[in-house]
Amino acid sequence: MQPFRYLAAFASIAVLALLAALPWGLPPQDRFFLPMLPVVAIHFWSLRHPGLVPEWYVFVTGFLLDVLTHGPLGYWPLVYVSAHVLGVLSAPYASRGVTMRLALFAAALIAVTTLSWLIASLYFLERADAGPYTIGGALAALSAVVLIPLLNALDPDMGTRENVRLERGI
């Protein structure tokens, strides 16, 4: 079942990134929503299985999105890697239940949206309009209502997760 999990993680992130790169004809203020869709999958897989998706894959996905959308190189890789890092760092708390995972996802989405706004502001050397970023983050949160059940269906062994996490440390 492990090869299927790898394939599911890699394919779900790639498909969402390709959907984000397609020209959907959205107005400029609503275009930030689609590139936030891979953030949902990246955070989902990084939170559930921290070692499953490698950092290089997340970086390359963001880089290819930059190339395909003619955006500034490095913008989406930085955003996607930050979502991955937040998922991996919060993975120890994910075993506390669905409510905790949803709270971690909401916090990560707010952090990633804020970071993307800050990066855009630095890129343009002026304060960027926060409206499109806020709307994009909110629409990404709404899309998670559909995406997370689909991603859960791709992760069949979640019922057999460990009920105790043995860790060495403090």
Side-chain angles (χ1 to χ4, degrees):
M1 198 53 73
Q2 194 69 9
F4 176 75
R5 185 176 288 153
Y6 278 106
L7 179 65
F10 279 59
S12 63
I13 293 170
V15 165
L16 289 173
L18 286 175
L19 286 174
L22 291 175
W24 292 98
L26 295 174
Q29 65 271 15
D30 295 337
R31 290 185 189 157
F32 184 72
F33 157 64
L34 290 171
M36 289 296 284
L37 293 179
V39 169
V40 176
I42 290 167
H43 188 267
F44 175 87
W45 292 110
S46 300
L47 185 69
R48 297 289 179 102
H49 310 287
L52 186 67
V53 179
E55 295 84 8
W56 65 265
Y57 182 74
V58 173
F59 181 85
V60 168
T61 302
F63 186 77
L64 289 176
L65 185 63
D66 282 344
V67 169
L68 291 173
T69 59
H70 304 288
L73 293 180
Y75 180 79
W76 287 113
L78 186 57
V79 171
Y80 289 172
V81 168
S82 68
H84 176 68
V85 167
L86 288 171
V88 169
L89 289 177
S90 57
Y93 306 105
S95 62
R96 295 185 182 168
V98 174
T99 306
M100 179 59 91
R101 284 193 299 273
L102 289 175
L104 291 170
F105 171 70
L109 193 58
I110 290 169
V112 167
T113 303
T114 304
L115 177 69
S116 61
W117 173 76
L118 286 171
I119 295 168
S121 294
L122 286 173
Y123 178 75
F124 292 113
L125 297 175
E126 65 181 12
R127 186 173 167 218
D129 181 20
Y133 298 94
T134 306
I135 292 170
L139 288 175
L142 276 174
S143 71
V145 172
V146 174
L147 287 177
I148 289 179
L150 290 174
L151 294 171
N152 272 328
L154 294 175
D155 192 14
D157 290 341
M158 279 309 296
T160 61
R161 289 187 77 185
E162 74 266 7
N163 57 4
V164 174
R165 177 168 276 181
L166 300 175
E167 293 181 357
R168 177 178 272 196
I170 48 177

